[in-house]
């Protein structure tokens, strides 16, 4: 394991490692220790009380972050005819079907999200081995296989992100930039927690939100009290 930078070590001194911070205090402390020379991404790491080995305990969904992600998202849309024009009007960066598929098969994946209309999925399906491992494959459950391509593009551009529990029962989600206001980061955190609660599998028993940690790109983690994070969803 490599040694942490001096900046990281100094930031760690400001954080009580075993304390569960109220969300507001955690966010302000997080912004205080975000001293890199670029706008650091803020990530939420949420441990859930699920066993991902069981199909009925998978957690997957989407959430529109009310304050956005703080990054420019390049969207590719697989559509033709009127739906292709609708996607372009909504701000899609790349639109097409066969030519777009061929370009990706040639090694190009310079986009952050993909949307497809159902009628072209038989063609897009060829890209499963390429886009699947990158998390870019259009999926009905994520709302990215739809005839409402304009709406899908606008939502993604506006801050819609997908979340999925990993093999260890943790969801990792970017919720903005450290340069956001504390209020906007809290709004995004509340939206994420609310979405996770709504996605709770019926088969899960006991405590669901086990642990929440916030961290910036270059900074140490700050533990957040799960109960107080859940309370954010009830206070707006």
């Amino acid at each position: 394991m490599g040694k942490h930078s001096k900046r990281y070590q100094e930031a760690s001194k400001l954080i009580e490692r075993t304390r569960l911070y109220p969300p507001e205090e955690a966010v302000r402390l997080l912004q205080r220790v975000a001293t890199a020379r670029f706008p650091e991404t803020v990530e939420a790491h949420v441990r859930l009380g699920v066993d991902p080995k069981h199909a009925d305990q998978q957690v997957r969904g989407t959430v529109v972050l009310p304050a956005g992600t703080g990054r420019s998202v390049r969207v590719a849309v697989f559509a033709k005819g009127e739906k292709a024009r609708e996607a372009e009007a909504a701000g899609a960066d790349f639109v097409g079907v066969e030519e777009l598929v061929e370009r990706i098969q040639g090694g190009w994946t310079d986009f952050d999200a993909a949307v497809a209309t159902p009628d072209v999925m038989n063609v897009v399906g060829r890209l499963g081995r390429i886009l699947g491992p990158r998390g870019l494959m259009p999926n009905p459950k994520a709302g990215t296989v739809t005839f409402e391509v304009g709406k899908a593009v606008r939502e993604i551009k506006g801050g819609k992100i997908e979340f999925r529990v990993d093999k260890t029962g943790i969801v990792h989600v970017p919720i903005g930039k450290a340069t956001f206001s504390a209020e906007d980061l809290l709004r995004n955190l509340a939206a994420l927690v609310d979405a996770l609660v709504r996605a709770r599998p019926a088969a899960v028993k006991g405590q669901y939100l086990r642990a929440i940690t916030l961290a910036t790109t270059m900074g140490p983690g700050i533990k957040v009290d799960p109960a107080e994070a859940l309370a954010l969803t009830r206070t707006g």
Side-chain angles (χ1 to χ4, degrees), residues 32-44:
R32 182 181 172 189
V33 300
T35 57
R37 297 179 181 178
F38 61 90
E40 296 183 58
T41 295
V42 176
E43 290 189 350

Side-chain angles (χ1 to χ4, degrees), residues 22-233:
E24 296 86 349
E25 188 176 350
V27 164
R28 296 187 187 283
L29 180 56
L30 180 125
Q31 292 178 311
R32 182 181 172 189
V33 300
T35 57
R37 297 179 181 178
F38 61 90
E40 296 183 58
T41 295
V42 176
E43 290 189 350
H45 307 276
V46 185
R47 181 179 294 279
L48 302 175
V50 300
D51 185 349
K53 294 179 182 178
H54 299 289
D56 61 355
Q57 293 191 40
Q58 290 292 321
V59 177
R60 181 175 185 175
T62 61
V63 57
V64 177
L65 299 178
T69 62
R71 60 191 289 259
S72 177
V73 181
R74 297 159 298 178
V75 182
V77 177
F78 299 93
K80 56 187 177 181
E82 183 59 35
K83 290 301 174 182
R85 291 187 285 275
E86 179 183 327
E88 291 172 345
D93 300 274
F94 312 100
V95 181
V97 184
E98 291 285 358
E99 66 278 16
L100 202 53
V101 169
E102 290 177 7
R103 190 176 176 187
I104 293 169
Q105 287 177 324
W108 175 81
T109 55
D110 195 21
F111 54 94
D112 306 296
V115 176
T117 53
D119 58 321
V120 300
M121 279 304 293
N122 60 323
V123 180
V124 179
R126 305 173 197 166
L127 303 174
R129 292 182 179 180
I130 300 173
L131 299 185
R134 293 175 170 80
L136 294 174
M137 191 67 183
N139 186 295
K141 293 182 179 179
T144 49
V145 175
T146 176
F147 279 117
E148 295 185 87
V149 291
K151 177 183 177 182
V153 170
R154 286 189 292 272
E155 286 184 340
I156 293 171
K157 291 277 189 178
K160 182 178 180 179
I161 57 174
E162 185 176 358
F163 59 81
R164 186 174 187 174
V165 69
D166 68 12
K167 294 179 180 179
T168 64
I170 301 175
V171 173
H172 309 273
V173 181
I175 60 168
K177 298 289 184 179
T179 50
F180 280 18
S181 68
E183 291 72 21
D184 280 347
L185 286 173
L186 287 170
R187 288 170 61 211
N188 283 354
L189 176 61
L192 170 63
V193 172
D194 183 62
L196 289 173
V197 171
R198 292 176 185 275
R200 176 175 179 156
V204 173
K205 307 299 180 184
Q207 186 179 359
Y208 178 59
L209 296 175
R210 294 287 181 86
I212 299 175
T213 301
L214 298 181
T216 58
T217 306
M218 305 295 289
I222 300 174
K223 296 179 180 178
V224 177
D225 187 321
E228 294 202 34
L230 183 59
L232 287 175
T233 67

